[in-house]
Amino acid sequence: MSEYKPTIGLEIHVQLATKTKIFCSCSTEFGDEPNTNVCPVCLGLPGALPVLNEKVVEYAVRLGSALNMTINKVSTFYRKNYFYPDLPKGYQITQYAIPIASEGFLEIKTKKGKRKIRIQRGHIEEDAGKSIHTGDITESQYSYIDFNRSGVPLMEIVTYPDIETAEEAYEFLVLLRKTVRYLGVSSGDMEKGALRCDVNVSVSKNDKIGTKVEIKNLNSFKSVRRAVEYEVKRQIDVLENGGSVVQETRHLNEKTGETVAMRTKEELNDYRYFPEPDLPPLILTDEFIEKIKKELPELPLQKEERFIKEYGIKEDYAHDIASSIELANYFEAVCRATKKPKEVANFLMTNIMKYLNKTGKQITEISFNEKKFAEFLSLIDNGTISKNIAKEVIDQSLETGKSPKEIVKERGLVQITDEDAIKEIVLEVLKENPKPVSQYLSGKTQTIGFLIGQVMKKTKGKANPQIVNKLLRNALMKMKK
Amino acid sequence: MIDIEKIEHLAALELKEGEKEKIQKDIEEIIHYFEILKEVDTNGIEPYIYMKGAHLFLRKDQVKKGLDREDLKKNRILSQNKFYKVKRIMGE
């Protein structure tokens, strides 16, 4: 059986993080009481006129530029006509003929190396309202509409069908989310609907692209991966059994992980686009576009690569730290204060991450700042605390908010480097453990590990391990003679 | 020939039998006018879509309070106190 090659394209709706809606001054706040952020414009009342939000333009240009797209100096608005109760005007204002941004790419990292996923277009448009169903959808007589979301600004990003696996689709989305967060143009929260994804999937054995199936409204990264995996398998099965793939829209059943065909009755896609007479073309100046391009921040992959080069930290640490702009900023602030990037990365990705996961806190919420971090690392450097004890100190400092020095003082965690004190304990341990000692003396030298452990236990981990090692060996050597 | 059934569907209308023929005829007549306009040679002329000199105004991103929910209720726009009530939207 020759191999089927999947061809996958994504359409992603990114909610732009403006304070107000795209065409009116209503708030975009998530979770407000239903129908409290509405006005004649977003309710589609007769005679209401749309006025474009300048922040939407700025954010769209920023995102388009970060995705290596051409920003069109002239773009136009269109009406996309269809009837649905959550669309009060009977049309959606969107961009059609000339979007604000076109032709770009996002480079993703995959197991096979870097891959460029080309982007066809990015256009700005308004969101629809939200329908709420009480009880069982098949039994309830009515649907209820909340128009708070009506008119919330979206930028739709459409990729070329360059994606070949579920993994790549997933990586693309994850990187896009990181990018919008880096840029500050969207929260990227899928669970709040700030990032929504439709997937187009087809499979083919040759260069001819197969029949395309669209899977709509995927609202988590996991759903995207599952939907693609399932759909590729399903289409191959259909073809292998002599059938043919039907061009249709499907939904992912979150419970079973299967995709199901939508009813085809409402499928008649004839949106009768025509130019929006209430909005003349959007014209951007070169200065405006250049200014935004110049102000673009460093993007996730660039940052990751710089971290590896500049700080010499491990690739997977660099990847994880650069995955969030807040984490990356914290890391760099601490590195500046301590000049010890490897140690910082280590403690950040182990003890601090564990603490954040446990408490659900954000890195920006912890009191363990660069000053405390520097103090902490110097305690290790000057031998005040051992590496072992260090873990306890940082955990306690995170937990209580006290400074590392305070923790050490309070708990008496200062490393014992006094050789006489340690020697006393070493002799004690040798006396209490005659069996391992004789084993050592008869050549089973690995029992020294056990003896070191006993000394550390007696000192509650505070003895300097190098000194313990040295004194133990010396004492045993003497006994041999 | 126009497809009256398709137009009916797109406009979300339900036409009675007699109306169908009448409206079909009307629409065809309207479309015929465009056939006449097509006789004009428009080669090289830019489509006239927007008012000449029309200029897109941009708004600052500042929140203004919209309509009050109590007023919406008073005007019977809102039902169920909080929501707009519509006939059940068919599920998938």
Short mmCIF file of all heavy atoms in Angstrom, two decimals, chain A residues 95-153:
data_model
loop_
_atom_site.label_atom_id
_atom_site.label_comp_id
_atom_site.label_asym_id
_atom_site.label_seq_id
_atom_site.Cartn_x
_atom_site.Cartn_y
_atom_site.Cartn_z
N GLN A 95 -13.55 41.42 5.72
CA GLN A 95 -12.78 41.88 4.57
C GLN A 95 -12.75 40.74 3.57
O GLN A 95 -12.70 39.57 3.94
CB GLN A 95 -11.36 42.25 4.99
CG GLN A 95 -11.35 43.45 5.92
CD GLN A 95 -9.96 44.03 6.06
OE1 GLN A 95 -9.06 43.35 6.52
NE2 GLN A 95 -9.79 45.27 5.65
N TYR A 96 -12.80 41.06 2.29
CA TYR A 96 -12.94 40.00 1.31
C TYR A 96 -11.95 40.20 0.16
O TYR A 96 -10.95 39.50 0.07
CB TYR A 96 -14.39 39.98 0.82
CG TYR A 96 -14.71 38.86 -0.12
CD1 TYR A 96 -14.62 37.54 0.28
CD2 TYR A 96 -15.14 39.13 -1.42
CE1 TYR A 96 -14.94 36.51 -0.59
CE2 TYR A 96 -15.48 38.11 -2.30
CZ TYR A 96 -15.37 36.80 -1.87
OH TYR A 96 -15.68 35.80 -2.73
N ALA A 97 -12.21 41.20 -0.66
CA ALA A 97 -11.37 41.37 -1.85
C ALA A 97 -9.91 41.64 -1.46
O ALA A 97 -9.01 40.93 -1.91
CB ALA A 97 -11.91 42.50 -2.71
N ILE A 98 -9.68 42.64 -0.64
CA ILE A 98 -8.31 42.94 -0.21
C ILE A 98 -8.28 42.96 1.32
O ILE A 98 -8.81 43.86 1.94
CB ILE A 98 -7.83 44.31 -0.72
CG1 ILE A 98 -8.24 44.52 -2.19
CG2 ILE A 98 -6.32 44.44 -0.56
CD1 ILE A 98 -8.08 45.95 -2.66
N PRO A 99 -7.67 41.95 1.92
CA PRO A 99 -7.56 41.94 3.38
C PRO A 99 -6.46 42.89 3.83
O PRO A 99 -5.66 43.35 3.02
CB PRO A 99 -7.18 40.49 3.70
CG PRO A 99 -6.45 40.02 2.49
CD PRO A 99 -7.03 40.78 1.31
N ILE A 100 -6.40 43.16 5.12
CA ILE A 100 -5.39 44.09 5.64
C ILE A 100 -3.98 43.51 5.50
O ILE A 100 -3.01 44.25 5.33
CB ILE A 100 -5.71 44.49 7.10
CG1 ILE A 100 -4.86 45.68 7.54
CG2 ILE A 100 -5.56 43.33 8.06
CD1 ILE A 100 -5.35 46.38 8.78
N ALA A 101 -3.86 42.18 5.53
CA ALA A 101 -2.53 41.55 5.40
C ALA A 101 -2.62 40.33 4.51
O ALA A 101 -3.60 39.58 4.56
CB ALA A 101 -2.01 41.14 6.77
N SER A 102 -1.60 40.13 3.66
CA SER A 102 -1.61 38.91 2.84
C SER A 102 -0.20 38.36 2.63
O SER A 102 0.79 39.07 2.78
CB SER A 102 -2.29 39.18 1.49
OG SER A 102 -1.95 40.43 0.98
N GLU A 103 -0.15 37.10 2.31
CA GLU A 103 1.08 36.38 1.96
C GLU A 103 2.21 36.51 2.99
O GLU A 103 3.03 37.43 2.93
CB GLU A 103 1.59 36.84 0.58
CG GLU A 103 0.63 36.63 -0.55
CD GLU A 103 0.25 35.17 -0.77
OE1 GLU A 103 1.09 34.27 -0.53
OE2 GLU A 103 -0.90 34.93 -1.17
N GLY A 104 2.23 35.58 3.91
CA GLY A 104 3.31 35.54 4.89
C GLY A 104 3.63 34.11 5.27
O GLY A 104 3.29 33.18 4.52
N PHE A 105 4.28 33.93 6.39
CA PHE A 105 4.57 32.57 6.84
C PHE A 105 4.92 32.58 8.32
O PHE A 105 5.26 33.63 8.89
CB PHE A 105 5.72 31.94 6.05
CG PHE A 105 7.04 32.64 6.26
CD1 PHE A 105 7.90 32.27 7.30
CD2 PHE A 105 7.42 33.69 5.43
CE1 PHE A 105 9.09 32.93 7.50
CE2 PHE A 105 8.62 34.35 5.62
CZ PHE A 105 9.47 33.97 6.66
N LEU A 106 4.81 31.41 8.92
CA LEU A 106 5.27 31.22 10.30
C LEU A 106 6.15 29.97 10.26
O LEU A 106 5.76 28.95 9.70
CB LEU A 106 4.06 31.03 11.22
CG LEU A 106 4.32 31.03 12.72
CD1 LEU A 106 4.96 32.33 13.19
CD2 LEU A 106 3.04 30.81 13.51
N GLU A 107 7.33 30.10 10.84
CA GLU A 107 8.25 28.96 10.82
C GLU A 107 8.07 28.18 12.12
O GLU A 107 8.20 28.76 13.20
CB GLU A 107 9.68 29.45 10.69
CG GLU A 107 10.63 28.38 10.24
CD GLU A 107 11.99 28.96 9.84
OE1 GLU A 107 12.48 29.82 10.59
OE2 GLU A 107 12.52 28.57 8.81
N ILE A 108 7.75 26.90 12.00
CA ILE A 108 7.56 26.09 13.21
C ILE A 108 8.71 25.10 13.34
O ILE A 108 9.38 24.77 12.36
CB ILE A 108 6.21 25.33 13.21
CG1 ILE A 108 6.10 24.41 11.98
CG2 ILE A 108 5.06 26.29 13.27
CD1 ILE A 108 4.92 23.46 12.05
N LYS A 109 8.91 24.63 14.58
CA LYS A 109 9.95 23.63 14.83
C LYS A 109 9.25 22.28 14.98
O LYS A 109 8.33 22.15 15.78
CB LYS A 109 10.65 23.96 16.14
CG LYS A 109 12.03 24.55 15.96
CD LYS A 109 12.51 24.93 17.34
CE LYS A 109 13.99 24.80 17.52
NZ LYS A 109 14.35 25.21 18.88
N THR A 110 9.66 21.31 14.21
CA THR A 110 9.07 19.98 14.33
C THR A 110 10.19 18.98 14.55
O THR A 110 11.37 19.35 14.53
CB THR A 110 8.31 19.58 13.06
OG1 THR A 110 9.27 19.38 12.01
CG2 THR A 110 7.32 20.65 12.64
N LYS A 111 9.79 17.73 14.75
CA LYS A 111 10.81 16.69 14.94
C LYS A 111 11.70 16.58 13.71
O LYS A 111 12.85 16.19 13.78
CB LYS A 111 10.12 15.35 15.23
CG LYS A 111 9.66 15.27 16.68
CD LYS A 111 8.81 14.04 16.91
CE LYS A 111 7.93 14.23 18.13
NZ LYS A 111 6.56 13.76 17.89
N LYS A 112 11.12 16.90 12.55
CA LYS A 112 11.88 16.81 11.30
C LYS A 112 12.69 18.08 11.04
O LYS A 112 13.26 18.24 9.97
CB LYS A 112 10.92 16.59 10.12
CG LYS A 112 10.32 15.19 10.11
CD LYS A 112 9.56 14.95 8.80
CE LYS A 112 8.30 15.78 8.74
NZ LYS A 112 7.50 15.55 7.52
N GLY A 113 12.71 18.99 11.99
CA GLY A 113 13.42 20.25 11.79
C GLY A 113 12.45 21.39 11.57
O GLY A 113 11.27 21.26 11.83
N LYS A 114 12.99 22.52 11.08
CA LYS A 114 12.16 23.69 10.90
C LYS A 114 11.30 23.57 9.65
O LYS A 114 11.75 23.04 8.65
CB LYS A 114 13.04 24.93 10.78
CG LYS A 114 13.54 25.42 12.10
CD LYS A 114 14.25 26.73 11.92
CE LYS A 114 14.90 27.16 13.22
NZ LYS A 114 15.75 28.32 13.00
N ARG A 115 10.06 24.07 9.73
CA ARG A 115 9.21 24.06 8.54
C ARG A 115 8.48 25.39 8.43
O ARG A 115 7.96 25.92 9.40
CB ARG A 115 8.18 22.93 8.63
CG ARG A 115 8.79 21.57 8.36
CD ARG A 115 7.76 20.66 7.74
NE ARG A 115 7.21 21.23 6.53
CZ ARG A 115 5.95 21.07 6.13
NH1 ARG A 115 5.12 20.36 6.84
NH2 ARG A 115 5.53 21.62 5.01
N LYS A 116 8.44 25.89 7.20
CA LYS A 116 7.75 27.14 6.94
C LYS A 116 6.31 26.82 6.57
O LYS A 116 6.07 26.09 5.62
CB LYS A 116 8.43 27.84 5.77
CG LYS A 116 9.07 29.15 6.14
CD LYS A 116 9.68 29.83 4.95
CE LYS A 116 10.85 30.67 5.44
NZ LYS A 116 11.59 31.28 4.34
N ILE A 117 5.35 27.34 7.33
CA ILE A 117 3.95 27.19 6.96
C ILE A 117 3.51 28.54 6.39
O ILE A 117 3.54 29.56 7.08
CB ILE A 117 3.08 26.83 8.19
CG1 ILE A 117 3.65 25.61 8.92
CG2 ILE A 117 1.63 26.61 7.76
CD1 ILE A 117 3.72 24.33 8.14
N ARG A 118 3.14 28.53 5.13
CA ARG A 118 2.78 29.79 4.47
C ARG A 118 1.39 30.25 4.90
O ARG A 118 0.50 29.44 5.14
CB ARG A 118 2.81 29.63 2.95
CG ARG A 118 4.22 29.50 2.36
CD ARG A 118 4.13 29.15 0.90
NE ARG A 118 3.30 27.96 0.71
CZ ARG A 118 2.52 27.74 -0.34
NH1 ARG A 118 2.47 28.62 -1.32
NH2 ARG A 118 1.80 26.63 -0.42
N ILE A 119 1.22 31.54 4.99
CA ILE A 119 -0.07 32.12 5.36
C ILE A 119 -0.60 32.91 4.17
O ILE A 119 0.13 33.69 3.55
CB ILE A 119 0.06 33.02 6.60
CG1 ILE A 119 0.48 32.15 7.80
CG2 ILE A 119 -1.24 33.73 6.90
CD1 ILE A 119 1.00 32.94 8.96
N GLN A 120 -1.85 32.63 3.85
CA GLN A 120 -2.44 33.24 2.66
C GLN A 120 -2.94 34.65 2.93
O GLN A 120 -2.65 35.57 2.19
CB GLN A 120 -3.60 32.35 2.21
CG GLN A 120 -4.12 32.66 0.85
CD GLN A 120 -5.22 31.68 0.46
OE1 GLN A 120 -5.80 30.99 1.31
NE2 GLN A 120 -5.48 31.61 -0.81
N ARG A 121 -3.70 34.79 4.00
CA ARG A 121 -4.29 36.10 4.27
C ARG A 121 -4.63 36.28 5.74
O ARG A 121 -4.75 35.32 6.49
CB ARG A 121 -5.54 36.32 3.43
CG ARG A 121 -6.58 35.21 3.59
CD ARG A 121 -7.71 35.36 2.59
NE ARG A 121 -8.71 36.31 3.07
CZ ARG A 121 -9.29 37.21 2.28
NH1 ARG A 121 -8.97 37.32 1.02
NH2 ARG A 121 -10.21 38.02 2.77
N GLY A 122 -4.79 37.54 6.14
CA GLY A 122 -5.25 37.85 7.48
C GLY A 122 -6.21 39.01 7.35
O GLY A 122 -5.85 40.05 6.83
N HIS A 123 -7.45 38.81 7.74
CA HIS A 123 -8.41 39.91 7.60
C HIS A 123 -9.13 40.19 8.92
O HIS A 123 -9.24 39.32 9.77
CB HIS A 123 -9.39 39.66 6.46
CG HIS A 123 -10.22 38.43 6.63
ND1 HIS A 123 -10.01 37.29 5.89
CD2 HIS A 123 -11.25 38.17 7.45
CE1 HIS A 123 -10.88 36.38 6.25
NE2 HIS A 123 -11.65 36.87 7.20
N ILE A 124 -9.58 41.44 9.06
CA ILE A 124 -10.28 41.82 10.29
C ILE A 124 -11.78 41.75 10.08
O ILE A 124 -12.27 42.02 8.97
CB ILE A 124 -9.85 43.22 10.80
CG1 ILE A 124 -9.88 44.25 9.68
CG2 ILE A 124 -8.48 43.15 11.43
CD1 ILE A 124 -9.47 45.65 10.14
N GLU A 125 -12.50 41.36 11.12
CA GLU A 125 -13.94 41.21 11.02
C GLU A 125 -14.57 41.25 12.40
O GLU A 125 -13.88 41.26 13.41
CB GLU A 125 -14.30 39.90 10.31
CG GLU A 125 -13.81 38.66 11.06
CD GLU A 125 -14.05 37.36 10.30
OE1 GLU A 125 -14.20 37.40 9.07
OE2 GLU A 125 -14.08 36.30 10.95
N GLU A 126 -15.90 41.25 12.41
CA GLU A 126 -16.61 41.29 13.70
C GLU A 126 -17.07 39.89 14.07
O GLU A 126 -17.39 39.08 13.23
CB GLU A 126 -17.81 42.24 13.62
CG GLU A 126 -18.79 41.89 12.49
CD GLU A 126 -19.97 42.84 12.42
OE1 GLU A 126 -20.21 43.57 13.38
OE2 GLU A 126 -20.65 42.85 11.38
N ASP A 127 -17.11 39.63 15.39
CA ASP A 127 -17.62 38.35 15.88
C ASP A 127 -19.14 38.42 15.96
O ASP A 127 -19.73 39.50 15.90
CB ASP A 127 -17.04 38.09 17.28
CG ASP A 127 -17.02 36.60 17.63
OD1 ASP A 127 -17.63 35.79 16.89
OD2 ASP A 127 -16.38 36.25 18.64
N ALA A 128 -19.78 37.26 16.07
CA ALA A 128 -21.24 37.20 16.23
C ALA A 128 -21.58 37.09 17.72
O ALA A 128 -20.69 36.99 18.55
CB ALA A 128 -21.77 36.00 15.47
N GLY A 129 -22.85 37.10 18.04
CA GLY A 129 -23.28 36.90 19.43
C GLY A 129 -23.12 35.44 19.83
O GLY A 129 -22.61 34.63 19.06
N LYS A 130 -23.54 35.16 21.04
CA LYS A 130 -23.35 33.80 21.54
C LYS A 130 -24.72 33.21 21.86
O LYS A 130 -25.52 33.86 22.55
CB LYS A 130 -22.51 33.88 22.81
CG LYS A 130 -22.04 32.58 23.34
CD LYS A 130 -21.16 32.86 24.56
CE LYS A 130 -21.00 31.61 25.37
NZ LYS A 130 -20.59 31.92 26.73
N SER A 131 -25.01 32.03 21.35
CA SER A 131 -26.30 31.42 21.69
C SER A 131 -26.15 30.47 22.86
O SER A 131 -25.17 29.75 22.98
CB SER A 131 -26.93 30.72 20.50
OG SER A 131 -25.98 30.37 19.56
N ILE A 132 -27.14 30.54 23.72
CA ILE A 132 -27.13 29.72 24.93
C ILE A 132 -28.36 28.83 24.89
O ILE A 132 -29.46 29.26 24.53
CB ILE A 132 -27.15 30.61 26.19
CG1 ILE A 132 -25.77 31.24 26.35
CG2 ILE A 132 -27.48 29.81 27.44
CD1 ILE A 132 -25.80 32.72 26.46
N HIS A 133 -28.14 27.57 25.19
CA HIS A 133 -29.26 26.64 25.20
C HIS A 133 -29.47 26.16 26.61
O HIS A 133 -28.53 25.76 27.27
CB HIS A 133 -28.98 25.46 24.28
CG HIS A 133 -28.56 25.89 22.91
ND1 HIS A 133 -29.46 26.24 21.96
CD2 HIS A 133 -27.34 26.07 22.37
CE1 HIS A 133 -28.81 26.61 20.88
NE2 HIS A 133 -27.52 26.52 21.10
N THR A 134 -30.70 26.24 27.05
CA THR A 134 -30.97 25.73 28.39
C THR A 134 -31.43 24.29 28.25
O THR A 134 -32.22 23.97 27.38
CB THR A 134 -32.04 26.56 29.11
OG1 THR A 134 -33.12 26.74 28.18
CG2 THR A 134 -31.51 27.90 29.53
N GLY A 135 -30.90 23.45 29.09
CA GLY A 135 -31.28 22.05 29.08
C GLY A 135 -30.82 21.36 27.81
O GLY A 135 -29.87 21.77 27.16
N ASP A 136 -31.50 20.31 27.46
CA ASP A 136 -31.14 19.50 26.32
C ASP A 136 -31.45 20.25 25.03
O ASP A 136 -32.55 20.73 24.82
CB ASP A 136 -31.96 18.20 26.38
CG ASP A 136 -31.50 17.23 25.30
OD1 ASP A 136 -30.67 17.65 24.46
OD2 ASP A 136 -31.98 16.09 25.31
N ILE A 137 -30.44 20.34 24.18
CA ILE A 137 -30.60 21.11 22.94
C ILE A 137 -31.71 20.54 22.06
O ILE A 137 -32.37 21.26 21.33
CB ILE A 137 -29.26 21.20 22.18
CG1 ILE A 137 -29.40 22.13 20.99
CG2 ILE A 137 -28.77 19.83 21.73
CD1 ILE A 137 -28.12 22.53 20.36
N THR A 138 -31.95 19.25 22.15
CA THR A 138 -32.97 18.65 21.28
C THR A 138 -34.37 18.85 21.83
O THR A 138 -35.35 18.66 21.13
CB THR A 138 -32.71 17.15 21.12
OG1 THR A 138 -32.59 16.57 22.42
CG2 THR A 138 -31.47 16.88 20.31
N GLU A 139 -34.47 19.25 23.10
CA GLU A 139 -35.80 19.38 23.70
C GLU A 139 -36.23 20.82 23.90
O GLU A 139 -37.40 21.15 23.77
CB GLU A 139 -35.83 18.66 25.06
CG GLU A 139 -36.07 17.17 24.90
CD GLU A 139 -35.76 16.42 26.17
OE1 GLU A 139 -35.86 17.03 27.26
OE2 GLU A 139 -35.43 15.23 26.06
N SER A 140 -35.26 21.69 24.22
CA SER A 140 -35.60 23.07 24.52
C SER A 140 -36.24 23.74 23.30
O SER A 140 -35.81 23.56 22.16
CB SER A 140 -34.32 23.81 24.92
OG SER A 140 -34.47 25.18 24.65
N GLN A 141 -37.27 24.52 23.57
CA GLN A 141 -38.03 25.12 22.49
C GLN A 141 -37.35 26.38 21.96
O GLN A 141 -37.58 26.78 20.83
CB GLN A 141 -39.41 25.47 23.02
CG GLN A 141 -40.53 25.13 22.07
CD GLN A 141 -41.84 25.69 22.60
OE1 GLN A 141 -42.05 25.78 23.82
NE2 GLN A 141 -42.70 26.09 21.69
N TYR A 142 -36.56 27.01 22.82
CA TYR A 142 -35.95 28.28 22.45
C TYR A 142 -34.44 28.24 22.60
O TYR A 142 -33.90 27.41 23.32
CB TYR A 142 -36.49 29.40 23.35
CG TYR A 142 -37.97 29.60 23.22
CD1 TYR A 142 -38.83 29.07 24.18
CD2 TYR A 142 -38.50 30.29 22.14
CE1 TYR A 142 -40.21 29.24 24.06
CE2 TYR A 142 -39.87 30.46 22.02
CZ TYR A 142 -40.71 29.93 22.98
OH TYR A 142 -42.06 30.10 22.85
N SER A 143 -33.80 29.18 21.91
CA SER A 143 -32.39 29.46 22.17
C SER A 143 -32.34 30.89 22.70
O SER A 143 -33.22 31.70 22.41
CB SER A 143 -31.57 29.37 20.90
OG SER A 143 -31.57 28.05 20.42
N TYR A 144 -31.30 31.19 23.46
CA TYR A 144 -31.18 32.52 24.03
C TYR A 144 -29.88 33.15 23.55
O TYR A 144 -28.85 32.48 23.47
CB TYR A 144 -31.20 32.43 25.56
CG TYR A 144 -32.50 31.84 26.04
CD1 TYR A 144 -32.61 30.47 26.26
CD2 TYR A 144 -33.62 32.65 26.21
CE1 TYR A 144 -33.82 29.91 26.65
CE2 TYR A 144 -34.83 32.10 26.60
CZ TYR A 144 -34.93 30.74 26.83
OH TYR A 144 -36.12 30.19 27.20
N ILE A 145 -29.94 34.44 23.22
CA ILE A 145 -28.76 35.07 22.63
C ILE A 145 -28.21 36.17 23.55
O ILE A 145 -28.96 37.00 24.04
CB ILE A 145 -29.08 35.71 21.26
CG1 ILE A 145 -29.97 34.80 20.42
CG2 ILE A 145 -27.79 36.07 20.54
CD1 ILE A 145 -29.29 33.66 19.77
N ASP A 146 -26.90 36.13 23.69
CA ASP A 146 -26.17 37.17 24.41
C ASP A 146 -25.34 37.91 23.36
O ASP A 146 -24.48 37.31 22.71
CB ASP A 146 -25.28 36.52 25.48
CG ASP A 146 -24.36 37.52 26.17
OD1 ASP A 146 -24.51 38.73 25.92
OD2 ASP A 146 -23.50 37.07 26.96
N PHE A 147 -25.60 39.22 23.21
CA PHE A 147 -24.90 39.97 22.16
C PHE A 147 -23.65 40.70 22.68
O PHE A 147 -23.11 41.54 21.98
CB PHE A 147 -25.85 40.97 21.48
CG PHE A 147 -26.81 40.30 20.55
CD1 PHE A 147 -28.16 40.21 20.84
CD2 PHE A 147 -26.34 39.72 19.37
CE1 PHE A 147 -29.04 39.57 19.98
CE2 PHE A 147 -27.22 39.09 18.50
CZ PHE A 147 -28.56 39.01 18.80
N ASN A 148 -23.22 40.40 23.90
CA ASN A 148 -21.99 41.03 24.39
C ASN A 148 -20.82 40.74 23.45
O ASN A 148 -19.93 41.57 23.30
CB ASN A 148 -21.63 40.50 25.78
CG ASN A 148 -22.46 41.17 26.87
OD1 ASN A 148 -23.20 42.12 26.60
ND2 ASN A 148 -22.35 40.66 28.08
N ARG A 149 -20.82 39.56 22.85
CA ARG A 149 -19.71 39.20 21.98
C ARG A 149 -19.90 39.73 20.55
O ARG A 149 -18.96 39.72 19.75
CB ARG A 149 -19.55 37.68 21.96
CG ARG A 149 -18.12 37.24 21.81
CD ARG A 149 -18.00 35.73 21.85
NE ARG A 149 -18.62 35.10 20.69
CZ ARG A 149 -18.77 33.79 20.55
NH1 ARG A 149 -18.35 32.97 21.47
NH2 ARG A 149 -19.34 33.29 19.47
N SER A 150 -21.10 40.17 20.24
CA SER A 150 -21.37 40.67 18.90
C SER A 150 -20.54 41.93 18.64
O SER A 150 -20.65 42.90 19.36
CB SER A 150 -22.87 40.97 18.77
OG SER A 150 -23.11 41.73 17.61
N GLY A 151 -19.70 41.88 17.61
CA GLY A 151 -18.89 43.05 17.30
C GLY A 151 -17.52 43.04 17.94
O GLY A 151 -16.74 43.99 17.80
N VAL A 152 -17.20 41.98 18.65
CA VAL A 152 -15.84 41.85 19.20
C VAL A 152 -14.87 41.65 18.03
O VAL A 152 -15.17 40.93 17.10
CB VAL A 152 -15.79 40.66 20.20
CG1 VAL A 152 -14.38 40.19 20.46
CG2 VAL A 152 -16.48 41.05 21.50
N PRO A 153 -13.72 42.34 18.04
CA PRO A 153 -12.84 42.28 16.87
C PRO A 153 -12.08 40.95 16.73
O PRO A 153 -11.55 40.44 17.71
CB PRO A 153 -11.84 43.42 17.10
CG PRO A 153 -11.86 43.66 18.55
CD PRO A 153 -13.22 43.28 19.06
#
